Amino acid sequence: MSAPAHARGGPATATRRAVLWVPDWPVAAAARAAGMGADAPAAVLHGRGMVAVSAAARAAGVRRGHGKRQAQRACPELVILPYDEGRDAREFEAVAAAAEEVVAGVEISRPGLLMVPAEGAARFHGSEEALAEALVGAVAEVSGHECAVGAADGLLAAIMAARSSVLVPAGRSAEFLADAPVEALSLAAMERRQREGVEDLVSVLTRLGITTLAQFTALPAGDVLARFGPVGRWAHRIGRGEDVRPPVLRRSEDDIEVAYEFEEPAERIEQLTLVAAESSRRLDEALLAAGVRCSRVRIAARTERGDTLERVWRTDVGSRAGAFSRHMADRVRWQLEGWLSGTANGPEPAPLTSLSLTAQDVIALGDEQAFLWGGVSGADSRAQRTVERMQSLLGPDAVLAVREQGGRSPRDRVLAAPWGQEVTPARKVDHPWPGRIPDPAPATVLPLPEPLQVLDAGGSPVIVDRRLALSAPPTWVRLQADPGKARAAAARRHPAAGHVGDEPTWEAAEPIEAWAGPWPIAERWWSAEASRRAYLQVALRRAEGGPALLAAFSGGQWWLEAIYD
C-alpha cells in the first residue's frame, strides 16, 4: 500500500471510509459458479456487449463493450458467460462474510464492492495498512478471490483508492481525484438509473471538452446546478472529494423495522421471491407513512437451527415513488438465496423461519440532502399507483414510458416501452449517427406525420431534387386543417351535400420567417426497407411569435414531423 504525496487540503464535509473491491466481479462470480479457474479467459455478455472481462481475456485483447464477434475474434478460446445480477450478489456473500471476520459492520454497496468503517477498524488493527492487509488476506483465504482495499475521505475518492490499492492521506482526496477522468463519476452511482444519469452527464461534459474532474469541479457550483440540475450538483460534490451528503451528527429519527414470520420454514428459492417483494413493499410504505427515508437497510434472518444471519446493504435510490421497494426486493431475495446456499466459514445452511428489514440512518424527508435525483412528493406516489392501476385494467403494454435511443430523426430517437419494464435500446445514443438532425430536439413529435405544403414566393410547391437541392427558397407553408373542423365548415357551406370526403383541406398559407436545411438522410439503401428523405426546419412569422416546424420531404411529398417550442 502506498499513499500519494499531495499537498492541498480537502473538504471538511467528507467522512473517512475504507472500500473493498473485487476486480471484474461479474466475470469472477460467473466463472466460480461455472467451475472455471480464475486464469481462464472469460467475459460476461449483457445485451450486445461485454460488461466484464477477466484478466486473461484482457491480455488477449478483449475489452468491455466489445460485441460477441469482436471479442471472439480477439480471443478465439474466450468463454462467454451469461449476465446474472442475482448470481453476482449470491456469490458475493462469501466475500462479505470473509470481510466480517476482520471487521464488524461491513456494508454492501453493490456486488463486488463493500464499505468498511475505517476509523474504528484501523484503530483496532493498529493502522489502515494493517486493516487493508487483514482484509485482503481474509478474503483470499475464505472466499478464494483476490481483492483490493483503499481508504480516503469521501465516497468517490475511497472507491478510486480501492481500485488503485492506495491509502489517501486525510484531507487530500480533492488532489487525489484531480487528474481522474470524468468517466470515474459513474463509479459512485450505486443504482442503475443513477448510473444512466451520470453517464449522460459525462457524455455532455466530454463533448464540451471537460475531460478531468479538476476541470469539472473548477466550474462554479451554481452554474453547474443551473445547467445540469441535481445530477450535476451531486457529481460536482463527489468530484471534489466530498460525501454525497454531509454526515448526520445526531440521530434525528428512530430506525424502522418490518418483520415476516414464515408459516413453514423456507428452504426453496421460489418461496423467497414473494416474501422479499412483500417485505420491501411494507418497509417502503412504513417509510412513506413516517415521512422519512434511509440510506442503509439491515437484512436479518433466523434459521431453523437458531442461527441469526445479518447483512447491511446500502440504498441510494432516494425517495422516488416505487423505486425503493423494487430496489430492495432484489437485494433481499439475493441475500436470502445466498444464505440458503451457504458460505465458507458460515453457519450450516438451514431453512429460514423469520425475516426482518430495518431501515437505518433514518432522517426526515425535509432534512435530507438530495441524493442523485432528490425526493418526491405524495403526488408522485399517487401518480405511480395510478399508472400501475391503469396497467392492471388495460394491460401492461397499454401504458408506455418514453426514453431516448440512438437515431437520426427525432422519431427514430424515441423508444416507447411498457411502464416499469427495462428495455435495452436497439440503437445506442453515443454512436456517431452522421446526418442526424441537429439539436435542440423538437418539443413535440407527432404520432404520425401529417401532410404539409411548402411553397415558394410564387406559390409553387418546393421540391428536393436528386442532387438534394431545393428547387426554390421556401417562402410559404400550408398546414393541414383539422379534419373535424373542415368537415363541419363544409357541411355549413353545403348542407345538402351529405358526406364530405376525406380529401385534405388546407389552412391559409403562412409566411416563413427563416429556414435551415435540407438535411438528407439515406438509410439501408441496399435493402427493401430503404428510406430516403430530406429534412427542413422552418420558423413561421406570426405576430405572437410563430413556432418552428420540422418538415420531411419523401416520395414527392412534404410531411410535418415535429414542432419546436
Side-chain angles (χ1 to χ4, degrees), residues 75-397:
C75 181
E77 63 275 16
L78 179 71
V79 178
I80 298 179
L81 302 166
Y83 176 80
D84 185 348
E85 197 172 7
R87 174 202 60 211
D88 297 347
R90 291 191 299 272
E91 292 289 331
F92 195 62
E93 171 59 21
V95 177
E100 208 161 37
E101 294 289 326
V102 177
V103 56
V106 300
E107 175 186 314
I108 299 178
S109 297
R110 59 173 178 260
L113 184 76
L114 60 82
M115 297 186 184
V116 177
E119 295 182 354
R123 286 195 299 270
F124 177 82
H125 287 274
S127 66
E128 288 183 347
E129 289 83 355
L131 171 63
E133 292 175 1
L135 286 169
V136 171
V139 170
E141 180 181 354
V142 175
S143 70
H145 291 286
E146 295 184 359
C147 71
V149 176
D153 301 334
L155 176 65
L156 179 60
I159 294 174
M160 293 290 290
R163 296 173 73 90
S164 302
S165 295
V166 301
L167 305 175
V168 181
R172 297 184 179 177
S173 290
E175 184 77 15
F176 173 69
L177 292 173
D179 295 331
V182 291
E183 288 82 2
L185 290 169
S186 61
L187 298 175
M190 302 300 170
E191 191 228 356
R192 176 197 57 79
R193 185 177 173 186
Q194 293 178 337
R195 285 194 296 272
E196 290 179 353
V198 175
E199 288 167 358
D200 291 343
L201 169 66
V202 168
S203 177
V204 174
L205 294 176
T206 303
R207 292 198 297 271
L208 292 174
I210 301 172
T211 58
T212 67
L213 290 180
Q215 293 173 327
F216 177 53
T217 56
L219 300 175
D223 293 345
V224 171
L225 175 61
R227 174 62 178 84
F228 301 108
V231 63
R233 176 177 58 185
W234 176 89
H236 200 256
R237 290 192 59 182
I238 67 167
R240 296 199 304 263
E242 299 180 14
D243 274 324
V244 178
R245 59 197 183 282
V248 179
L249 301 179
R250 60 182 179 85
R251 190 183 185 87
S252 60
E253 302 287 342
D254 293 332
D255 292 344
I256 294 179
E257 179 179 340
V258 297
Y260 186 93
E261 297 288 337
F262 292 94
E263 295 182 0
E264 296 182 359
E267 53 185 343
R268 298 192 311 274
I269 293 176
E270 293 79 6
Q271 296 173 271
L272 305 178
T273 303
L274 292 177
V275 172
E278 174 64 16
S279 301
S280 299
R281 183 189 62 80
R282 288 171 53 195
L283 182 60
D284 191 15
E285 290 180 349
L287 291 171
L288 182 62
V292 298
R293 64 167 308 282
C294 68
S295 60
R296 301 192 305 164
V297 173
R298 179 172 61 86
I299 306 171
R302 183 174 292 276
T303 70
E304 198 175 37
R305 296 177 179 273
D307 296 319
T308 299
L309 309 171
E310 293 186 0
R311 184 70 64 228
V312 175
W313 280 77
R314 182 185 181 90
T315 170
D316 279 351
V317 296
S319 48
R320 295 199 314 272
F324 178 85
S325 59
R326 293 192 297 268
H327 178 83
M328 284 310 305
D330 288 337
R331 279 139 188 82
V332 173
R333 175 172 54 84
W334 299 337
Q335 190 61 62
L336 296 179
E337 291 174 2
W339 282 332
L340 279 182
S341 61
T343 59
N345 285 6
E348 184 176 347
L352 306 178
T353 59
S354 66
L355 167 70
S356 67
L357 305 182
T358 305
Q360 299 179 333
D361 290 350
V362 176
I363 58 175
L365 287 174
D367 297 339
E368 68 172 329
Q369 281 279 341
F371 270 42
L372 188 54
W373 293 100
V376 297
S377 65
D380 296 317
S381 300
R382 290 192 295 273
Q384 171 80 14
R385 290 192 291 269
T386 300
V387 172
E388 292 174 350
R389 175 63 175 166
M390 291 171 59
Q391 278 188 312
S392 67
L393 294 174
L394 304 177
D397 294 335

Side-chain angles (χ1 to χ4, degrees), residues 393-487:
L393 294 174
L394 304 177
D397 294 335
V399 182
L400 304 178
V402 176
R403 62 178 302 181
E404 185 183 8
Q405 65 177 355
R408 293 179 174 85
S409 70
R411 190 179 307 280
D412 292 340
R413 294 169 66 182
V414 174
L415 172 64
W419 174 271
Q421 293 187 16
E422 298 298 331
V423 178
T424 302
R427 301 181 292 273
K428 293 186 177 181
V429 177
D430 55 0
H431 283 184
W433 301 112
R436 189 184 74 172
I437 304 302
D439 291 332
T444 303
V445 178
L446 276 62
L448 293 173
E450 296 180 358
L452 180 74
Q453 289 185 346
V454 180
L455 310 174
D456 61 17
S460 300
V462 174
I463 64 171
V464 180
D465 61 24
R466 290 184 175 274
R467 295 180 179 273
L468 301 172
L470 294 174
S471 60
T475 308
W476 303 90
V477 163
R478 274 185 179 169
L479 301 175
Q480 185 180 17
D482 181 78
K485 294 181 180 178
R487 292 190 182 97

